[in-house]
Amino acid sequence: MSLTAFNQLQDVVVVGAGVIGLSAALSIQQRLPKSSIVSVVASEFPCPSPIQGHNTAETASADYASMWAGAHYRPIPYMPQSAYAEQNLSQHQQKFHDQLAQEKQLAVRTAKIMKDIAQQFPESGIQIVPAEEYLETPPQENLLLKTGDVYASGDDCFRVLDRTELTALNHKTASRHEDEIKWACSYETYVVNVHVYCGWLLHRFLSNGGKTITRNLGSLADAFTLGIAKNGSQTPLLVNCSGRNFDTDPATKIIRGQTVLVRNQYNKTITRQCADGTWSFLIPRPLNGGTIVGGTKEIGDDETHARPETRNKLLENATHYFPDFVKDMKDFDIVTDNVGRRPWREGGLRIVVEKPEDGRTVVHGYGAGGRGYELSWGAAEKICDLVLKCLQGEDEVMVKL
Ligand SMILES: Cc1cc2nc3c(=O)[nH]c(=O)nc-3n(C[C@H](O)[C@H](O)[C@H](O)COP(=O)(O)OP(=O)(O)OC[C@H]3O[C@@H](n4cnc5c(N)ncnc54)[C@H](O)[C@@H]3O)c2cc1C
Ligand SMILES: *[C@@H]1O[C@H](CO)[C@@H](O)[C@H](O)[C@H]1NC(C)=O
Ligand SMILES: *[C@@H]1O[C@H](CO)[C@@H](O)[C@H](O)[C@H]1NC(C)=O
Ligand SMILES: *[C@@H]1O[C@H](CO)[C@@H](O)[C@H](O)[C@H]1NC(C)=O
Ligand SMILES: *[C@@H]1O[C@H](CO)[C@@H](O)[C@H](O)[C@H]1NC(C)=O
Ligand SMILES: *[C@@H]1O[C@H](CO)[C@@H](O)[C@H](O)[C@H]1NC(C)=O
């Protein structure tokens, strides 16, 4: 692509320094001519892990979701379109499964890049690990899965556990009959030490000549008038990766998550979905980052402090479900509680171009909910494609809100 194809006076400002904003900024930077300035404006930037003695609660707000994630990649299976009629899916359910099918493409693409990063740059805080899932009440889309299917990625060694293995698992976790595991699988995935990884992304962005500005914006439009990254008289192209914090989109809402970081180090990620809709999971953090014991999903709950009774229940449940990790409550070496807000949005990630006013262009990339890490590179590439099209003046990509 030739340099002259771009409007050279237009620079790019990404609002947001979460995993989506940083991945998008890096992707844009790699594909724009060197003379363009890419900046990231955010009220909050990556901070170090509490396991290194820093208190994350003092350096990151609950609204900076990227600092509170586990994080692992746990695929969400969907019903294939060919089964909609037979399964009597409602319009609403069909829309949801269409969304999951699209997200799978982003997730598989992201997994490829994350695994490459893990292999080339172990210092990035990404590691490839074995994964297991135990479901007490498996939905139909799980029951349709077969060993060898592409679950997390093309080479994930996906396997559905057989009856004998289920019996052994149920015996091992001493389950009562009513919370028996009915379906389980194993595969290969990756886990993320979120503080190390976001710091690594930021470092790469800065090394490539990127700029950062710490600013709490009253509205997204304020970023047009910052006078930063502006070469000439034109306003920059804005990329809205603000999570859900501007809160002008009625489709977004808070899903509170509380987890516990312990120093005890596990070596695979396990998720148990209980019959009552609760979850119990372990996520090891690479580079001796400890293990995340989780976790809650509390819709519309805006409490930003950790609830001690929730911490106890999470740890107690983990001893019950994962006895080969920590058998007794007193053996947990607790580092800290985590409380974060997932930037959930009805319909999923919003990646579109908007022209709110003449001469101004916004590319949106927000609303990743509980999947920001696992969709990050796929989302960043889509955002980047739209940015390049806008800079090349391809007006047909514009949508009016
Ligand atoms: C408990 C928990 C567990 C999770 N586990 C996982 C997991 O295992 N796997 C996974 O993939 N995802 C997980 N997630 C979800 C993941 O954390 C989010 O999807 C992801 O962090 C969203 O990233 P983001 O960049 O969109 O937003 P954020 O990380 O929230 O970043 C928003 C950015 O925008 C900036 N900003 C916002 N408003 C303003 C303003 N007014 N002015 C200036 N800057 C502003 C902020 O400062 C920040 O830099 C989890 C989340 C939680 C809470
Ligand atoms: C600013 O734009 C001019 C072209 O108008 C270009 O020659 C110059 O390199 C740009 N400066 C930077 C720092 O990108
Ligand atoms: C779908 O609806 C039909 C007709 O009501 C019914 O016979 C069938 O059992 C339903 N299938 C499922 C999977 O619920
Ligand atoms: C930008 O993102 C936020 C989510 O943080 C959303 O509420 C808002 O509608 C988006 N657009 C503008 C113009 O702020
Ligand atoms: C994880 O630890 C267990 C127990 O120490 C060990 O048996 C197992 O081989 C380890 N697995 C991996 C993938 O390192
Ligand atoms: C612990 O597990 C029980 C049984 O599934 C569940 O009811 C409870 O809500 C769980 N606690 C937490 C904090 O997830």
Side-chain angles (χ1 to χ4, degrees):
M1 159 186 315
S2 80
L3 286 183
T4 48
F6 291 99
N7 175 348
Q8 293 195 27
L9 289 180
Q10 205 158 25
D11 294 314
V12 178
V13 174
V14 177
V15 176
V19 67
I20 302 289
L22 292 172
S23 311
L26 264 173
S27 302
I28 294 164
Q29 193 182 45
Q30 276 158 13
R31 284 173 63 192
L32 278 188
K34 285 261 174 288
S35 61
S36 309
I37 304 172
V38 183
S39 310
V40 173
V41 183
S43 51
E44 297 183 84
F45 281 88
C47 57
S49 165
I51 210 160
Q52 296 162 328
H54 301 273
N55 186 349
T56 310
E58 281 171 8
T59 43
S61 75
D63 281 324
Y64 187 12
S66 296
M67 292 301 107
W68 304 108
H72 60 180
Y73 167 32
R74 190 192 56 77
I76 306 180
Y78 60 92
M79 193 72 82
Q81 278 186 344
S82 55
Y84 285 1
E86 193 191 298
Q87 298 294 331
N88 304 329
L89 293 197
S90 68
Q91 286 286 327
H92 183 78
Q93 288 169 323
Q94 292 187 15
K95 251 183 100 179
F96 180 60
H97 286 273
D98 288 346
Q99 177 191 327
L100 290 177
Q102 284 171 17
E103 287 179 1
K104 178 167 182 177
Q105 294 182 6
L106 299 184
V108 168
R109 174 69 187 143
T110 303
K112 161 127 195 20
I113 297 176
M114 289 295 204
K115 286 181 172 186
D116 286 349
I117 292 176
Q119 271 151 0
Q120 279 185 54
F121 309 101
E123 74 279 10
S124 65
I126 309 278
Q127 193 187 332
I128 298 171
V129 296
E132 284 168 24
E133 289 181 39
Y134 308 152
L135 274 63
E136 292 178 8
T137 45
Q140 196 60 32
E141 52 270 27
N142 282 74
L143 299 175
L144 293 174
L145 293 168
K146 297 181 300 295
T147 293
D149 282 351
V150 174
Y151 187 62
S153 57
D155 53 353
D156 60 357
C157 306
F158 175 74
R159 203 166 70 77
V160 178
L161 270 54
D162 63 28
R163 286 232 140 266
T164 325
E165 289 170 302
L166 283 186
T167 309
L169 265 181
N170 280 319
H171 182 72
K172 191 171 84 177
T173 61
S175 300
R176 300 178 303 267
H177 179 70
E178 62 269 26
D179 60 13
E180 208 175 71
I181 301 166
K182 302 268 174 20
W183 186 90
C185 69
S186 72
Y187 55 102
E188 185 187 88
T189 191
Y190 60 87
V191 287
V192 185
N193 183 324
V194 296
H195 303 93
V196 173
Y197 179 63
C198 287
W200 183 82
L201 289 176
L202 177 61
H203 179 76
R204 280 176 83 85
F205 173 71
L206 292 171
S207 316
N208 293 338
K211 295 189 174 164
T212 57
I213 298 103
T214 306
R215 192 79 53 95
N216 191 3
L217 302 168
S219 77
L220 188 72
D222 288 355
F224 282 117
T225 57
L226 280 174
I228 40 125
K230 204 164 72 173
N231 188 1
S233 58
Q234 299 220 10
T235 50
L237 189 150
L238 274 197
V239 183
N240 181 14
C241 295
S242 54
R244 52 143 278 286
N245 300 291
F246 283 114
D247 238 355
T248 57
D249 179 344
T252 55
K253 65 179 157 194
I254 291 170
I255 300 187
R256 180 183 186 271
Q258 183 172 335
T259 64
V260 193
L261 176 64
V262 298
R263 209 164 261 112
N264 315 60
Q265 193 75 42
Y266 203 44
N267 61 8
K268 59 186 176 192
T269 181
I270 309 193
T271 306
R272 182 173 180 124
Q273 297 186 38
C274 301
D276 64 0
T278 61
W279 303 65
S280 192
F281 55 81
L282 299 177
I283 305 174
R285 283 186 168 170
L287 306 173
N288 295 316
T291 302
I292 287 286
V293 182
T296 67
K297 291 183 186 176
E298 298 152 297
I299 298 167
D301 184 334
D302 59 14
E303 176 58 68
T304 56
H305 292 100
R307 296 191 175 102
E309 63 276 19
T310 302
R311 172 208 273 199
N312 284 335
K313 222 39 202 147
L314 288 172
L315 295 177
E316 193 186 309
N317 283 359
T319 61
H320 178 62
Y321 294 133
F322 315 122
D324 66 341
F325 176 45
V326 169
K327 273 197 188 57
D328 198 293
M329 288 287 276
K330 70 174 179 354
D331 297 328
F332 279 114
D333 184 355
I334 297 170
V335 180
T336 190
D337 297 299
N338 297 308
V339 177
R341 295 169 164 181
R342 298 173 179 88
W344 188 87
R345 180 175 177 277
E346 174 82 46
L349 263 172
R350 181 163 178 243
I351 304 181
V352 292
V353 181
E354 191 185 347
K355 285 205 130 198
E357 279 173 48
D358 273 354
R360 293 183 169 184
T361 307
V362 176
V363 176
H364 293 291
Y366 67 88
R371 312 194 69 185
Y373 283 87
E374 59 193 35
L375 305 181
S376 59
W377 287 112
E381 287 177 350
K382 271 181 90 171
I383 293 167
C384 187
D385 285 346
L386 291 181
V387 166
L388 293 189
K389 281 186 180 157
C390 290
L391 293 180
Q392 288 167 304
E394 286 185 27
D395 269 356
E396 72 272 20
V397 299
M398 310 296 175
V399 293
K400 264 263 179 228
L401 201 73

